[in-house]
Amino acid sequence: MAAIAYLNFDGTTEQAIDFYSAALNANEVKKAKFGDIPQNPSYPMPENELNLIMESSITFTGGKIMMSDILPSMKAVTGELMTGNNILISLVIDDKQKLAEYFEGLSQGGKVIMPLSDTPWSSCFGMLVDKFGVSWKFNSDADLFLDNVTASIQ
């Protein structure tokens, strides 16, 4: 299991990746744009969102940081991005039962943004804001997704 700092940006993730990679002397950088994954023809993404960062990670001595852009079309669900809600904790755990247990516990008194579900980027993914206002992401296989997407675009 890993608890990873996860940073959200309003269209500037690409620049943040460059900055943090250089500042932290990253030894590995992975990133996937929304346009890198197959789109659902019934719900096409707006053209201006396809080039935004869907998921990224930088690994450096002592840690890992993950980052993504908040889609303009998702702000009705996530709320406007501002200092304070742009940082969350991402729990990456292979054990889906344990992930569900943590999700259930942390959702008590909070607000579920996205229930745990199978998505194109994870076999078990969800988001919530706990009762103290801390945002959490839950992901059973974030590294697998990034590995697969980055391998296909190189």
Side-chain angles (χ1 to χ4, degrees):
M1 176 181 93
I4 299 168
Y6 199 105
L7 309 176
N8 288 321
F9 295 93
D10 198 4
T12 59
T13 300
E14 191 88 48
Q15 295 93 328
I17 291 168
D18 293 343
F19 174 78
Y20 291 120
S21 295
L24 298 169
N25 196 22
N27 51 31
E28 184 176 50
V29 177
K30 297 178 187 176
K31 59 184 169 184
K33 295 181 179 185
F34 285 94
D36 292 336
I37 63 168
Q39 299 298 304
N40 181 338
S42 301
Y43 303 99
M45 290 185 71
E47 191 68 33
N48 65 319
E49 295 183 348
L50 294 174
N51 227 14
L52 295 176
I53 300 294
M54 178 181 180
E55 193 81 38
S56 70
S57 68
I58 64 167
T59 306
F60 55 95
T61 303
K64 176 189 264 189
I65 297 173
M66 297 185 76
M67 295 173 266
S68 67
D69 284 310
I70 296 296
L71 295 174
S73 61
M74 286 296 296
K75 289 183 180 174
V77 176
T78 62
E80 287 294 321
L81 196 62
M82 62 180 114
T83 301
N85 73 354
N86 63 327
I87 299 172
L88 54 85
I89 300 169
S90 179
L91 294 181
V92 180
I93 306 169
D94 291 336
D95 183 340
K96 292 176 187 169
Q97 186 173 350
K98 184 57 78 174
L99 200 67
E101 181 183 315
Y102 291 157
F103 187 91
E104 177 63 28
L106 289 166
S107 69
Q108 298 302 309
K111 178 182 176 188
V112 172
I113 303 296
M114 182 177 179
L116 288 177
S117 58
D118 186 12
T119 67
W121 60 90
S122 175
S123 60
C124 187
F125 178 86
M127 296 174 65
L128 64 84
V129 177
D130 71 22
K131 66 181 181 179
F132 298 105
V134 176
S135 297
W136 296 80
K137 269 190 182 184
F138 300 78
N139 199 332
S140 63
D141 37 30
D143 289 330
L144 294 176
F145 168 75
L146 274 172
D147 289 344
N148 290 336
V149 173
T150 56
S152 70
I153 59 176
Q154 291 178 359

